[in-house]
Amino acid sequence: MFFGLFHGIASPLAGSQPLAAAGLDYAGLGRALLPEAALAAGALAVLAVDIALLRAAGTALRFRAAAAIAAVAVVAALAFCLQTGSSGEVFGGVLVLDSLGTAARAALLCLTLVVLGVSAGAAVPRRPAEYCAIILFATAGFTLMAAAQQLLLAFLALELASLSLYVLAGFDLSRPESAEAAMKYFLLGAISSAFLLFGFSLIYGLTGTIDLTQIAIVLARQGPSPLLTVALVMVLVAFGFKAAAAPFHLWAPDVYEGAPAPSAALIASGSKLAGLVLFTRLLWPGLGEAAGDVSSAHFGAGWLPVLAILSGASLLLGNLAALVQTSLRRLLAYSAIAHAGALLLGVIVVGSSGPGPVFYYAATYALATAGAFGIVGILERTGGSLQIAGLAGLSRRSPPLAGCLLVFILSLAGVPPLAGFFGKFAVFAAALKLGGVAGPAGWLAVAAILLSAVALYYYLIVVKQAFVAPAPANPAPITVSPVAAATLVVAAAAIIVLGVFPSLLLGLF
Amino acid sequence: MRLLPWTIYLSLAGAMLSLAAGRRSAAAARWVALGTAAAAWGLVLAAATGFSPSALPQTLVDLDWIPSMGGRYHLAADGISMTLLVLTGLAATAGILFSWNIGERTGEFFAFYLTLIAGVYGVFLSADALLFFVFYELAIVPKYFLIAIWGSTNREYGAMKLALYSFAGSALVLAGLLWAYATGGAHSFALADLASAAARFPAGQQVAMFALVFFGFAVLAGLFPFHTWAPTGHVAAPTGASMLLAGVVMKLGAYGCLRVAMPLFPAGLAFWQPAIAWLAIIGILYAGLVALVQDDCKFVIGYSSVSHMGFVMLGLAAANPRAVAGAVLQMFSHGVIAGLLFAVVGRMVYDRTHTRRLGDLRLLALYRLLPFAATVFVIAGLASMGFPGFSGFPAELSILMGAWQASPLWAAAAALGVLIAAAFTLRVVQLTFFGGSGSRETPAASAALPPISWPERTGALLLIGAAVVIGLKPDLLLNWIVPSLQSPLFKAVIKGGAP
């Protein structure tokens, strides 16, 4: 078999091969992959129903049918995912369903539900069935990324997700910005994939295995080498791109601005979370030997100092550049870059504090961003391209939308008792635990805390438009589809509940 | 006592309710808000009657909240919190009475207002530093909206400045607290645990942590030179919000200094003590002098707030029982008196004459048109000057006496501030109401001023009553405050015998 073949090649340490002892448990693999199977089946069903039954129907109806089928598929996947639970390594360690994997898969499926829900309020895409099917494929890629514990599967999952996202970014054929976004995203994404694959091949060459657990064992024995450094750089470049961390952030503002709103929501939320989990797994369990040290001022060489630099650069650049944005989408993009800085700090502390803080941060951040893009989509449907000034009077025109926007934006700003605050709190506390303010991790935490006061300014500008500025004369009425409205309200409520009871997520780890 | 946490829940529920009620009618929202605030105040007063002072805070609720970080939902009250809870209830109720004329987006106004109040109650009840911080921040965002939406002069600027100053201050606090928590090996955010962890830090580290936490809180307390948000914020705010800002929000900062910064880092206080005292004194004198030359009567009151809060900070810096008890009493007193002053100039005068310029007001001879307002303003002015018989007198006296114990020079310098306060208060009282053009006829345009309404009268009487009762019998509060200062948490900080 495919995977077995690779294990066969990559077994210089036959004695410690888990496969030999465990045998290949196809039934277990099947059970573990039920969510992905449900997603794939759902995607095919969406396409089949559309082609077979709805060719003559209007796009609105076709979209509703497609989104409904897709939502059913996601709910089924979620049920499978929760039913399987954290069952540990699957198929000899190709996949791992630990608490992080399970929590991430569940969170990713929920995020896809949110994206499907808010897409009901955005402009209807021209080929609705394809749109929904590709969202499902992307989601399948995400959930695989969340559980992959082997380089090849990790790369395939990442490519499945990425290729789907390139298409989603360019889906709006009526706007040249959309095509531009897709092109930029694709070119830079393809380059970063190439880096990643090159890095993977070097790691394979060095260690003779593609299994993360095996890689760790071999690296512990080999110690550092120049080739490993090159491989690490390659991997970090790809990570920086995926996380939209400076200086690999350049695609983010254009893609967030040009892509259709639901696509942007998915790129900003699910893709971020899945990438984070994938690279966390890759770096800590896999390459943890080469982590280095950032707890004191004497850098220990490794990938941690590099991540720390990326984190600092992102915090600084994101927060400062966001100050001057006039477009809500670009503001969200720079805020995403700033958040990427904090998320990288979260990855840094995984080694000492576990994945709880960074997962909580990423999941709640993703939810808030998806919600914010949902609102962007609804408003753009009625008002065209959205400037921050275009939010004027939102609280009079649509109080529920304004209320949801307030929750999402303030959560992004990290105002307690919303979830965004506790994400920051947990990550920064963990970072300071590494060594107080004696080392880069602590410096970054303090800088991030102080920069959050800067960030409050641009977030307040957004809510100020919505709540303080008077509505324009004769505004177009805002129509919100009930499904989108319900989705947004549930998302906002979830942010409040997760904020008031952070242990609901933090307690999982 | 057991019902005290319900002040928080009631206020939050009231916020939701008045938001809903406001969609039907403004009157409904007003009554819901007034009912909620009065009910919460009633709970506090009921608890106060059965309150027996003790050194240790009495736990009200203690639940696991975030076990992985050691955050607990721990609410407790001692004499200091009780004093400030009574103030909060009073200020909230009076503030709503003086916001009775808010006609635009009334439901939203009271929703933000009551959310702020919930945060304030929460801060005064928290015994866990993390919980404290969460409630502290809960009070910031509503302030922004109250000012930016319903404010007047330069409101968006004033609101943003206030929000950014507050948030920057709380960022410093968060950095300091997290640093102490993370490196001290504390397993919880309970103040006692943090204090025992922080005590193990070398003095140099304590000095730095204390600076972050204390000055972070001091931003909100209006300590010079971090006070500049206060006058602009107060002036821009609608009357009810000014009353809350001066009445309770500035107290949050001072309370944080006293409750969190000082007990956690005694060595830090020892290092920074002279600096804080002199900054406080500079604030008292400088803000007083600035108030003396303002042409906008709300700015006079705004700067007077900074000056009076300087006394609070001086009392904290002196760090002996007499001074600190005086500081807490001054928090109460200033909350009441500043509320009253803002009520007169913001609601009774400005909403009727649409000017706050002293040059314009002196032409109107308002004492004839608004005799009730004039009477209230004179009384409030006397109280603000520290006239015996009002709450400001025992408070400032005991701060000055305490400061004398610490350093006679501090007391002498601060006492100058009392003189300046008399000067700017007399000036603003005279120019606002008794300028008089000499002619007996009142200008026709101003004869039509609407009479003082019943909510205004009620609110004014409540506040005057509180100032007089505490002025005549400060022991009502001091008997609560002084035992609390014997708490083991304060042992290393507040030195010297009982006052």
Side-chain angles (χ1 to χ4, degrees):
Chain A
M1 282 306 298
F2 191 61
F3 294 119
L5 190 67
F6 266 84
H7 277 290
I9 296 171
S11 54
L13 352 123
S16 62
Q17 238 338 319
L19 284 191
L24 292 180
D25 177 9
Y26 288 98
L29 180 66
R31 268 196 305 280
L33 290 181
L34 273 177
E36 286 76 11
L39 291 172
L44 295 179
V46 166
L47 294 175
V49 167
D50 189 62
I51 291 175
L53 305 175
L54 296 169
R55 288 181 97 171
T59 32
L61 177 64
R62 286 169 65 193
F63 177 74
R64 246 174 283 160
I69 299 170
V72 170
V74 175
V75 170
L78 190 59
F80 287 133
C81 165
L82 295 178
Q83 191 196 5
T84 313
S86 305
S87 49
E89 295 201 338
V90 178
F91 207 63
V94 171
L95 291 169
V96 60
L97 293 180
D98 50 6
S99 53
L100 175 64
T102 310
R105 286 170 112 196
L108 287 163
L109 291 166
C110 291
L111 286 170
T112 301
L113 269 186
V114 171
V115 169
L116 283 172
V118 297
S119 68
V124 179
R126 197 171 295 180
R127 295 196 180 78
E130 284 90 330
Y131 192 72
C132 292
I134 295 174
I135 288 181
L136 289 184
F137 285 130
T139 309
F142 296 156
T143 54
L144 280 176
M145 283 162 77
Q149 207 192 8
Q150 186 224 43
L151 296 186
L152 199 66
L153 182 66
F155 186 76
L156 289 176
L158 184 71
E159 282 303 281
L160 173 58
S162 301
L163 287 170
S164 309
L165 291 177
Y166 304 145
V167 180
L168 288 177
F171 218 84
D172 189 351
L173 298 178
S174 60
R175 287 167 55 235
E177 295 94 333
S178 180
E180 184 194 334
M183 193 49 129
K184 267 197 176 136
Y185 194 27
F186 171 68
L187 285 179
L188 290 171
I191 293 172
S192 93
S193 291
F195 271 103
L196 187 65
L197 198 57
F198 194 23
F200 280 180
S201 67
L202 289 176
I203 292 173
Y204 175 63
L206 265 174
T207 60
T209 170
I210 54 170
D211 238 6
L212 284 181
T213 44
Q214 301 297 318
I215 290 174
I217 296 170
V218 177
L219 283 183
R221 218 174 37 203
Q222 282 182 347
S225 65
L227 209 52
L228 181 63
T229 313
V230 178
L232 281 178
V233 170
M234 304 280 164
V235 170
L236 289 177
V237 167
F239 186 19
F241 169 82
K242 198 71 198 162
F248 310 108
H249 64 281
L250 289 166
W251 59 274
D254 292 324
V255 172
Y256 282 32
E257 190 178 28
S263 310
L266 198 63
I267 292 169
S269 63
S271 163
K272 222 23 177 313
L273 176 59
L276 204 81
V277 174
L278 175 88
F279 281 96
T280 301
R281 252 192 231 300
L282 189 61
L283 290 172
W284 275 113
L287 305 171
E289 277 304 319
D293 179 27
V294 285
S295 64
S296 72
H298 313 286
F299 287 81
W303 50 263
L304 276 181
V306 183
L307 270 196
I309 290 169
L310 296 187
S311 160
S314 312
L315 282 168
L316 213 57
L317 184 127
N319 279 314
L320 295 183
L323 289 174
V324 294
Q325 300 307 317
T326 53
S327 145
L328 183 54
R329 283 164 170 255
R330 289 187 87 85
L331 182 126
L332 286 172
Y334 282 103
S335 124
I337 295 165
H339 280 280
L343 284 168
L344 292 187
L345 187 58
V347 174
I348 289 175
V349 301
V350 166
S352 55
S353 301
V358 73
F359 174 76
Y360 180 88
Y361 193 128
T364 53
Y365 162 76
L367 188 57
T369 307
F373 269 109
I375 292 174
V376 169
I378 291 170
L379 293 179
E380 284 182 344
R381 187 183 196 173
T382 44
S385 174
L386 189 63
Q387 299 297 303
I388 295 172
L391 290 169
L394 185 64
S395 75
R396 321 297 299 149
R397 297 169 67 194
S398 172
L401 265 195
C404 290
L405 183 72
L406 183 70
V407 171
F408 297 138
I409 294 290
L410 291 183
S411 178
L412 290 177
V415 174
L418 301 174
F421 168 74
F422 291 96
K424 290 189 174 178
F425 188 86
V427 167
F428 299 158
L432 280 164
K433 268 189 181 161
L434 271 181
V437 292
W443 303 338
L444 281 175
V446 172
I449 292 172
L450 298 182
L451 281 170
S452 68
V454 175
L456 184 73
Y457 175 76
Y458 57 81
Y459 290 122
L460 271 186
I461 293 288
V462 174
V463 288
K464 182 185 95 172
Q465 281 300 323
F467 279 84
V468 180
N474 305 322
I478 298 176
T479 47
V480 189
S481 90
V483 177
T487 310
L488 288 173
V489 169
V490 169
I495 285 187
I496 295 174
V497 170
L498 289 176
V500 176
F501 304 104
S503 287
L504 290 179
L505 282 186
L506 285 171
L508 294 177
F509 297 91
Chain B
M1 282 299 278
R2 298 273 147 216
L3 287 179
L4 273 180
W6 281 90
T7 51
I8 306 170
Y9 318 143
L10 253 183
S11 305
L12 283 177
M16 298 294 128
L17 265 181
S18 57
L19 188 62
R23 309 197 75 171
R24 294 180 189 280
S25 80
R30 279 179 204 129
W31 282 106
V32 167
L34 183 62
T36 316
W41 190 29
L43 281 182
V44 175
L45 291 179
T49 53
F51 178 71
S52 55
S54 59
L56 285 174
Q58 300 165 25
T59 293
L60 307 166
V61 191
D62 191 6
L63 299 171
D64 243 355
W65 179 35
I66 316 177
S68 56
M69 291 191 284
R72 296 187 68 78
Y73 187 75
H74 185 184
L75 301 178
D78 63 359
I80 301 172
S81 359
M82 282 305 297
T83 305
L84 294 167
L85 290 172
V86 172
L87 169 68
T88 308
L90 173 61
T93 312
I96 290 174
L97 287 170
F98 283 104
S99 307
W100 213 250
N101 61 335
I102 298 277
E104 192 194 343
R105 301 167 75 176
T106 315
E108 284 175 71
F109 178 87
F110 287 115
F112 285 126
Y113 187 100
L114 289 171
T115 310
L116 197 167
I117 291 297
V120 174
Y121 275 127
V123 169
F124 291 145
L125 284 171
S126 298
D128 181 282
L130 177 55
L131 191 61
F132 184 105
F133 188 81
V134 168
F135 281 124
Y136 187 81
E137 297 253 308
L138 186 61
I140 291 181
V141 172
K143 267 188 315 194
Y144 172 79
F145 286 113
L146 285 175
I147 299 175
I149 301 179
W150 292 275
S152 51
T153 322
N154 240 343
R155 58 188 183 185
E156 288 182 14
Y157 168 76
M160 184 61 92
K161 187 167 174 184
L162 182 151
L164 292 182
Y165 266 75
S166 316
F167 210 72
S170 59
L172 294 179
V173 171
L174 184 62
L177 281 181
L178 271 181
W179 182 12
Y181 162 76
T183 54
H187 297 293
S188 82
F189 279 91
L191 288 173
D193 286 5
L194 278 180
S196 62
R200 289 193 295 271
F201 292 133
Q205 215 164 337
Q206 280 203 46
V207 166
M209 290 175 182
F210 176 85
L212 285 173
V213 177
F214 189 93
F215 290 107
F217 280 126
V219 169
L220 208 54
L223 180 69
F224 181 89
F226 314 113
H227 67 284
T228 60
W229 63 269
T232 46
H234 283 122
V235 169
T239 304
S242 305
M243 293 174 66
L244 278 195
L245 267 186
V248 293
V249 171
M250 290 180 90
K251 311 303 176 287
L252 294 182
Y255 182 77
C257 292
L258 173 63
R259 181 68 89 192
V260 181
M262 290 171 51
L264 290 194
F265 315 106
L269 179 69
F271 178 86
W272 288 100
Q273 194 171 21
I276 296 166
W278 281 111
L279 287 179
I281 292 168
I282 293 174
I284 294 173
L285 301 178
Y286 168 78
L289 291 173
V290 174
L292 204 48
V293 294
Q294 293 302 309
D295 187 39
D296 180 325
C297 57
K298 220 170 171 184
F299 263 112
V300 177
I301 315 292
Y303 277 105
S304 91
S305 272
V306 176
S307 178
H308 283 123
M309 285 304 291
F311 278 100
V312 174
M313 300 311 281
L314 177 63
L316 296 183
N320 54 48
R322 192 186 297 279
V324 175
V328 178
L329 195 59
Q330 170 80 345
M331 289 191 215
F332 182 92
S333 166
H334 174 253
V336 172
I337 296 168
L340 200 53
L341 291 167
F342 276 117
V344 175
V345 300
R347 173 73 182 92
M348 295 185 185
V349 173
Y350 177 70
D351 284 351
R352 291 186 169 77
T353 63
H354 302 289
T355 177
R356 292 189 309 249
R357 287 197 55 237
L358 292 172
D360 297 340
L361 289 172
R362 62 183 299 185
L363 301 177
L364 292 175
L366 276 178
Y367 74 97
R368 271 183 254 157
L369 302 169
L370 301 169
F372 182 83
T375 316
V376 172
F377 204 48
V378 169
I379 296 174
L382 288 175
S384 179
M385 283 187 275
F387 206 72
F390 296 102
S391 53
F393 176 71
E396 290 184 3
L397 187 68
S398 117
I399 293 172
L400 289 175
M401 285 162 66
W404 184 278
Q405 282 175 14
S407 156
L409 193 57
W410 296 353
L416 265 183
V418 179
L419 291 181
I420 298 175
F424 70 70
T425 312
L426 286 174
R427 173 176 171 269
V428 73
V429 169
Q430 198 243 333
L431 290 180
T432 309
F433 283 96
F434 303 100
S437 48
S439 64
R440 285 208 150 265
E441 313 84 291
T442 49
S446 42
L449 294 185
I452 303 289
S453 61
W454 69 264
E456 294 169 71
R457 287 174 195 272
T458 320
L461 291 179
L462 279 178
L463 293 170
I464 293 176
V468 170
V469 167
I470 299 307
L472 296 178
K473 198 162 168 36
D475 279 353
L476 280 179
L477 295 179
L478 286 175
N479 283 345
W480 289 349
I481 299 167
V482 173
S484 305
L485 299 178
Q486 310 302 319
S487 148
L489 271 180
F490 288 125
K491 207 180 219 164
V493 206
I494 299 177
K495 294 181 178 125

